[in-house]
Amino acid sequence: MSAEDKVVEDDMATSKGSSATGGAKEETSEIIKTVIYALLITLVFRTLFFQPFTIPSASMEPNLYEGDYIVVSKWDYGYSKYSFQWPLPFIKGRIMDKAAKRGDIVVFKLPRNPKVDYIKRVVGVPGDRIQMRHNQLYINDIPVAAKNLGAVTPQISYDSQYATKYEESLPEGSTHFMQDLRTDGPADDTPEYIVPADHYFMMGDNRDNSIDSRYAMDDPIQPGVDFVPAENLEGRATMVLVSWNEGSSIWKPWTWLNLRWDRLFKSLK
């Protein structure tokens, strides 16, 4: 082989190496772009349309169980600084604001600690007068009708083995299930609460096991939810997507199918 041929051959080898290196860089760049685009699409989707949440407690029994994985509709009440993955302090109030209704199940930021998400039912809207009298809910001095559906076994163990299940009917006609553990609970007799403008009064459906608007945020014994500002609303809970039994974990693959099959795609009201 001549010296000239050797030089040409070396040049060809260098050219092929450069091409391979460039191709690998382009492929890596495309993968990074794809991941970024996917994350941006997911972020926009979670902000504007739907966001999943996991239920960590029994405060909304018998409608939501600990371990439920729910879907929250984000556009029902418009958007506020809390609609985003990280709060945007320059957004004041709500954009495309739409009022929540009595009976809506709502995810919101806890007023005394906006880093924490809570889920409760809207019981009082601005201007309402709310009171519990001897285990009976009153809205604007009118007792809320509650049909006794009999004894049920709570998901979480309490002092009592059974609870009483009710079908409660709010003033506009919407109905939902409610659970009562005792007739002399700590929040079964309360003062009258007058809901301020741009705020809501929230209660858990598991009435004797829910820290909600019946408890003031500065209560020295049991700090509560208090009135919830409209801008703290994140969205309306619409569906149980899937529900895991106690003991299941994403870190335990053998428990992934330990489901409450009767709760899959369960609509919420």
Side-chain angles (χ1 to χ4, degrees), residues 180-202:
D180 196 34
L181 298 168
R182 50 192 293 190
T183 58
D184 58 349
D188 282 342
D189 280 282
T190 70
E192 184 179 75
Y193 307 95
I194 301 176
V195 186
D198 298 320
H199 287 72
Y200 295 95
F201 193 93
M202 307 287 190

Side-chain angles (χ1 to χ4, degrees), residues 179-254:
Q179 184 169 289
D180 196 34
L181 298 168
R182 50 192 293 190
T183 58
D184 58 349
D188 282 342
D189 280 282
T190 70
E192 184 179 75
Y193 307 95
I194 301 176
V195 186
D198 298 320
H199 287 72
Y200 295 95
F201 193 93
M202 307 287 190
M203 290 179 68
D205 293 337
N206 197 359
R207 291 290 162 79
D208 294 313
N209 189 41
S210 174
I211 305 302
D212 47 40
S213 293
R214 292 172 292 177
Y215 297 86
M217 68 173 72
D218 58 357
D219 190 310
I221 299 174
Q222 179 58 75
V225 170
D226 219 312
F227 300 114
V228 177
E231 73 170 359
N232 285 44
L233 305 190
E234 296 181 74
R236 183 175 64 88
T238 60
M239 175 187 295
V240 176
L241 193 61
V242 66
S243 182
W244 282 278
N245 284 305
E246 186 178 359
S248 302
S249 170
I250 192 171
W251 307 114
K252 302 175 183 177
W254 60 90

Side-chain angles (χ1 to χ4, degrees), residues 104-125:
D104 287 357
I105 301 176
V106 174
V107 172
F108 58 92
K109 292 294 185 183
L110 185 62
R112 58 184 164 86
N113 183 3
K115 294 181 180 179
V116 177
D117 298 310
Y118 260 42
I119 183 167
K120 304 291 179 187
R121 189 180 298 276
V122 177
V123 170
V125 298

Side-chain angles (χ1 to χ4, degrees), residues 122-169:
V122 177
V123 170
V125 298
D128 278 348
R129 289 175 290 117
I130 308 296
Q131 188 175 19
M132 291 292 296
R133 304 178 191 169
H134 309 300
N135 204 41
Q136 169 70 56
L137 172 62
Y138 282 75
I139 299 178
N140 299 322
D141 278 330
I142 300 173
V144 173
K147 180 181 178 182
N148 190 324
L149 300 179
V152 294
T153 303
Q155 179 199 8
I156 305 297
S157 298
Y158 302 98
D159 296 337
S160 175
Q161 185 178 359
Y162 299 102
T164 303
K165 185 176 180 180
Y166 292 88
E167 184 178 54
E168 198 168 59
S169 301

Side-chain angles (χ1 to χ4, degrees), residues 63-80:
N63 299 297
L64 288 171
Y65 288 172
E66 183 176 337
D68 282 353
Y69 189 68
I70 67 169
V71 175
V72 170
S73 169
K74 299 296 291 290
W75 68 79
D76 287 63
Y77 312 125
Y79 304 95
S80 75

